[in-house]
């Protein structure tokens, strides 16, 4: 009997142990399940967190201290430049100082001499000619506007009314002079020699049936000489600053045609600064909708804001410079 009691006790202990082990395994299993769920949640959250981190790293860092940038320009009238300065301060913490020049030859020389950091006053045709003539390597970092070149008159409403022997003023810098002569040719007032290219001069006129006197003047003076001439070729930006509308022109070229691609205006800097993030960010700000509206207002609708990548602008500049070098051989 005693032996049976011992065996019964051992059997009871064994059953309790087995039941305890099963309970422990089940508890362990239940405890592990939430851990698996947590891992799944973390995995699902990772892409979102990664995306947020990527977005933060991609956004340009706004410097703690203001960055000062000098920009050479040919005129500061109107709302566009003050608005760009305001936006640069608010969005980039950049203090822009505008340095105004009265002659087209000066902003590039100032840039080459490090008197300014960037300039914005010229189109690619002008820049290519200037680079070659002065052995410089100034490059575009962003586009601004393309402006039509118009023939304006205070005395006549139509090209056909211009009398024989009249004086016609044109810009005296090579690029705008050449373009101005092409406008006069398109208006039927004269004829240039074949294949004259972008940089024609009055010497390239082969037919002048109205015996017009072509008077080259500094580009900024073209509106001011209107009382003294029958008509004047005036760049769209300068015309807008002088209170002239494109509709006031008695003739103008098409600013959006392929032939006007060399006349895209640009932000430019020294080649060693072409990748400067601050300079490029300023150039990009020019595409802001408020800037576009202010340009339209300042130019009386005569200038069109164009967004062209810096690489494309550089390609066009290289092409123009190549053509100039080839013509000199």
């Amino acid at each position: 009997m005693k032996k049976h009691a011992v065996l019964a006790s051992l059997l009871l202990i064994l059953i309790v142990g087995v039941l305890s082990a099963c309970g422990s395994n089940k508890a362990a299993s239940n405890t592990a399940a939430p851990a698996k769920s947590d891992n799944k949640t973390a995995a699902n959250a990772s892409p979102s967190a990664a995306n947020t981190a990527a977005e933060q790293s991609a956004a340009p860092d706004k410097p703690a201290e203001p960055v000062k940038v000098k920009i050479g320009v040919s005129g500061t009238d109107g709302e566009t430049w003050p608005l760009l300065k305001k936006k640069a301060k608010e969005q980039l913490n950049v203090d822009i100082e505008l340095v105004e020049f009265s002659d087209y030859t000066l902003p590039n020389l100032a840039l080459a001499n490090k008197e300014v950091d960037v300039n914005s006053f010229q189109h690619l045709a002008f820049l290519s000619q200037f680079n070659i003539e002065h052995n410089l390597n100034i490059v575009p970092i962003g586009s601004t506007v393309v402006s039509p070149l118009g023939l304006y008159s205070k005395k006549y409403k139509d090209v056909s009314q211009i009398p024989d022997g009249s004086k016609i003023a044109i810009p005296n810098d090579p690029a705008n002079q050449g373009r101005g002569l092409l406008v006069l040719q398109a208006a039927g007032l004269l004829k240039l020699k074949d294949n004259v290219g972008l940089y024609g001069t009055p010497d390239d006129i082969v037919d002048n049936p109205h015996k017009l006197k072509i008077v080259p003047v500094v580009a900024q003076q073209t509106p001011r000489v209107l009382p003294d001439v029958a008509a004047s070729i005036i760049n769209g930006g300068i015309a807008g600053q002088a209170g002239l509308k494109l509709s006031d022109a008695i003739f103008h070229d098409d600013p959006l045609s392929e032939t006007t691609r060399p006349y895209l205006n640009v932000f430019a800097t020294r080649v060693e600064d072409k990748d400067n993030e601050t300079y490029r960010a300023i150039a990009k700000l020019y595409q802001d909708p408020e800037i576009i509206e202010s340009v339209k207002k300042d130019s009386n609708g005569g200038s069109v804001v164009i967004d062209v990548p810096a690489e494309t602008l550089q390609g066009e500049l290289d092409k123009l410079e190549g053509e100039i070098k080839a013509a000199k051989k």
Side-chain angles (χ1 to χ4, degrees), residues 212-226:
L212 300 174
K213 298 181 179 76
I214 307 302
V215 184
V217 299
V218 174
Q220 286 86 346
Q221 299 296 323
T222 50
R224 298 173 190 173
V225 299
L226 277 172

Side-chain angles (χ1 to χ4, degrees), residues 44-288:
N44 288 339
S46 295
S48 175
N51 288 340
T52 302
E55 289 171 1
Q56 291 174 346
S57 63
D61 292 331
K62 189 174 181 180
E65 295 297 324
V67 177
K68 295 183 179 180
V69 177
K70 288 185 177 182
I71 302 180
V73 297
S74 61
T76 57
D77 294 341
E79 301 176 0
T80 301
W81 286 115
L83 181 58
L84 187 73
K85 287 179 64 175
K86 178 174 177 287
K87 287 184 173 292
K89 181 62 177 176
E90 293 174 350
Q91 298 182 29
L92 307 174
N93 200 18
V94 170
D95 290 328
I96 292 177
E97 177 184 345
L98 298 175
V99 182
E100 190 170 358
F101 297 92
S102 59
D103 189 306
Y104 272 6
T105 62
L106 299 177
N108 279 333
L109 294 177
L111 183 58
N113 294 330
K114 299 187 177 181
E115 295 168 16
V116 297
D117 304 302
V118 178
N119 67 38
S120 181
F121 75 101
Q122 66 193 326
H123 49 56
L124 293 171
F126 182 93
L127 176 56
S128 60
Q129 182 79 18
F130 200 93
N131 271 345
I132 298 299
E133 286 188 355
H134 296 270
N135 195 29
L136 296 176
N137 196 1
I138 293 172
V139 299
I141 57 170
S143 60
T144 56
V145 302
V146 60
S147 300
L149 197 63
L151 181 65
Y152 294 81
S153 177
K154 293 284 189 182
K155 303 171 183 177
Y156 307 106
K157 298 294 185 182
D158 190 88
V159 171
S160 64
Q161 297 174 350
I162 297 175
D164 291 356
S166 295
K167 292 180 179 179
I168 306 290
I170 62 173
N172 68 352
D173 62 275
N176 287 305
Q177 179 173 260
R179 185 184 180 190
L181 289 170
L182 290 171
V183 169
L184 294 179
Q185 177 174 255
L189 292 172
L190 50 78
K191 181 173 173 54
L192 301 169
K193 69 182 183 182
D194 294 338
N195 302 317
V196 68
L198 298 178
Y199 306 101
T201 72
D203 293 336
D204 295 313
I205 298 173
V206 294
D207 188 16
N208 187 0
H210 302 287
K211 297 179 172 56
L212 300 174
K213 298 181 179 76
I214 307 302
V215 184
V217 299
V218 174
Q220 286 86 346
Q221 299 296 323
T222 50
R224 298 173 190 173
V225 299
L226 277 172
D228 306 316
V229 297
S232 182
I233 291 285
I234 307 175
N235 178 280
I238 294 175
Q241 291 173 5
L244 297 170
K245 299 178 181 179
L246 185 58
S247 58
D248 295 328
I250 59 177
F251 189 85
H252 64 80
D253 58 9
D254 180 1
L256 299 181
S257 71
E258 277 297 314
T259 57
T260 57
R261 175 57 68 92
Y263 305 111
L264 279 172
N265 285 266
V266 297
F267 281 97
T269 191
R270 296 174 293 273
V271 67
E272 61 267 25
D273 293 326
K274 68 182 180 68
D275 296 320
N276 184 292
E277 292 184 3
T278 299
Y279 300 168
R280 285 191 171 237
I282 292 172
K284 194 63 181 173
L285 268 183
Y286 207 90
Q287 307 300 323
D288 182 277

